[in-house]
Amino acid sequence: MIKLTSPYQHCTLCPRNCGVDRTQTRGRCGCTDTLLLSRAALHFWEEPCISGTGKDAPGSGTVFFSGCSLGCCFCQNHEISRGAVGKATTQARLTEIFLELQAKGAANINLVTPDHYLPDVLAALSAARPGLRIPVACNCSGYETVETVRALAEHTNIFMPDLKFFSPDVSEKFARAKDYFAVASPAISEMVRLAGPPRFDDNEMLHSGVIIRHLILPGHHKDSLQLLDWLAEALPKDGFILSLMSQYTPYLQSPYAELNRKLSSYEYKAVVAHAEALGFEYIYTQQRTAAKEEYTPPFDLEGI
C-alpha cells in the first residue's frame, strides 16, 4: 500500500527549499500547513485596470494570505507577511470566499502571496471554477519557481508579480535572498509567456496578461534602472504592463539608514524617465502622495 503524505511535509513549494515538515512546525514562510487568511474583501487601491476607477469602481476581490516566502525587511504588509495575523481557514471555505467576492461585484479574484499554500489554493480554485466568471489574478513577490508559475497558470488569467531587486547584494541585504533576481527573472518571463500580452474588456479592465510591479526604494534607484534595462532586453515591450510605484513608506525603524525616509522626487522621476525612454507600451506611474499608510488595508479578518 502506498502511504499518502501531505504536500507540506518536507516543503519545497518556494525557492527557499527549506524542507521543513510544516505539518509539525513553521516553514521559512512563517506558516504551518494550516491555511491562514487575514482579509478577503473588495480592494480599491490596485492599478486602475484591476480595481477600476471612480465612485463606481467595482474593486478587486482581494484575498490576503498570511505568511511570505520572501520576507522583505520593509514590507508594508508586515503584520501578515510574518505570519502573525490570520484566521485558520479550510480549503472548502476558501472556495466559498471566491464565490462570495464575485457576488459582491468584484472585477477579479486577487490572490496576495498564495504560493506557500499552493496545493490548497489550486484545489479551491478548481472547486470554484464551475461558478467563477471573473478573472483570477496572482499577486506575488516574483520569488517563485517556474513550476509554481506553470501550476498557477492553469487557473490564473492575470499575474501581478513584483520585480524587486536586480543586485544580489541588495536582495541579500533587504530580503536575505541573494538569488532573488536569478529566481524571479525566469519566473516572470514564464508568466509573460503563458499569460500573453495584456487583454482588456470593454470597460478597460484587464482580462488577462501580466502587470510587473516595481517599488523604487530610497537610495537604490540605480538598481531600478538596471531592472528596467533587463526588462527591455528580455521581454517584449508590449507584452506586459509596467507599474512603477513611488509608495514606499518607512513603517518600521530600519537598521538601514536609507530606508528610513520616503522616496525623493528626483529618484522617482529618474526611473520613470528611463522607462519612457526605453519605450515600454504600457506604464503606470504614481503620484508621490501614494506614499501613505492608508493604502495598506486593515488586516481585521474581514470576509473570512
Side-chain angles (χ1 to χ4, degrees):
M1 180 181 292
I2 297 174
K3 184 179 180 180
L4 297 178
T5 59
S6 164
Y8 297 106
Q9 290 180 305
H10 191 72
C11 188
T12 57
L13 289 173
C14 84
R16 298 287 189 182
N17 286 313
C18 69
V20 166
D21 182 354
R22 287 172 54 193
T23 66
Q24 302 297 320
T25 188
R26 295 180 185 274
R28 177 62 175 78
C29 58
C31 298
T32 66
D33 64 336
T34 300
L35 183 62
L36 289 180
L37 303 184
S38 58
R39 182 178 172 86
L42 297 179
H43 188 51
F44 299 93
W45 300 108
E46 304 285 27
E47 284 80 2
C49 65
I50 297 295
S51 288
T53 58
K55 62 181 178 65
D56 296 322
S60 178
T62 308
V63 182
F64 289 90
F65 294 82
S66 298
C68 179
S69 58
L70 186 56
C72 300
C73 67
F74 52 81
C75 181
Q76 66 179 18
N77 294 344
H78 58 87
E79 289 180 68
I80 63 168
S81 63
R82 295 171 188 177
V85 176
K87 180 180 178 180
T89 311
T90 65
Q91 193 180 100
R93 175 62 188 140
L94 182 58
T95 296
E96 292 175 351
I97 287 170
F98 295 154
L99 297 174
E100 287 169 6
L101 288 169
Q102 176 177 260
K104 290 177 181 178
N108 44 66
I109 301 298
N110 184 349
L111 311 173
V112 182
T113 60
D115 53 297
H116 51 291
Y117 291 119
L118 186 67
D120 285 304
V121 171
L122 294 179
L125 285 171
S126 180
R129 180 54 60 192
L132 206 57
R133 299 179 301 279
I134 56 177
V136 174
C138 178
N139 186 336
C140 60
S141 69
Y143 194 59
E144 325 289 334
T145 66
V146 169
E147 291 75 21
T148 290
V149 172
R150 290 172 180 165
L152 282 165
E154 295 182 19
H155 300 277
T156 300
N157 311 90
I158 300 165
F159 284 100
M160 299 163 60
D162 290 336
L163 184 54
K164 293 176 180 284
F165 316 105
F166 182 82
S167 164
D169 292 335
V170 175
S171 60
E172 174 66 17
K173 182 178 181 180
F174 295 144
R176 299 292 183 264
K178 198 175 186 69
D179 63 345
Y180 176 84
F181 182 75
V183 169
S185 51
I188 290 174
S189 296
E190 187 70 352
M191 293 176 196
V192 172
R193 186 185 75 82
L194 292 171
R199 291 175 53 229
F200 303 87
D201 66 18
D202 293 340
N203 296 314
E204 299 186 354
M205 301 295 289
L206 189 64
H207 181 270
S208 63
V210 179
I211 300 177
I212 300 177
R213 294 165 154 177
H214 177 61
L215 176 68
I216 298 96
L217 296 175
H220 293 280
H221 79 282
K222 291 183 179 179
D223 195 65
S224 301
L225 301 181
Q226 290 179 290
L227 279 177
L228 293 178
D229 288 339
W230 175 77
L231 286 170
E233 293 170 4
L235 300 176
K237 294 178 183 178
D238 61 352
F240 60 94
I241 298 169
L242 177 62
S243 182
L244 296 174
M245 299 185 293
S246 63
Q247 68 189 52
Y248 174 78
T249 302
Y251 291 106
L252 303 172
Q253 185 68 23
S254 174
Y256 307 110
E258 68 268 37
L259 296 185
N260 289 320
R261 66 170 174 86
K262 293 183 179 181
L263 192 69
S264 72
S265 294
Y266 167 78
E267 290 167 317
Y268 187 63
K269 289 178 180 178
V271 175
V272 171
H274 193 57
E276 291 174 343
L278 287 169
F280 295 109
E281 182 74 16
Y282 308 99
I283 305 176
Y284 280 125
T285 61
Q286 286 183 323
Q287 299 296 323
R288 287 191 65 229
T289 53
K292 294 180 179 179
E293 295 188 12
E294 300 89 86
Y295 282 71
T296 301
F299 298 117
D300 53 6
L301 309 183
E302 179 181 350
I304 303 169

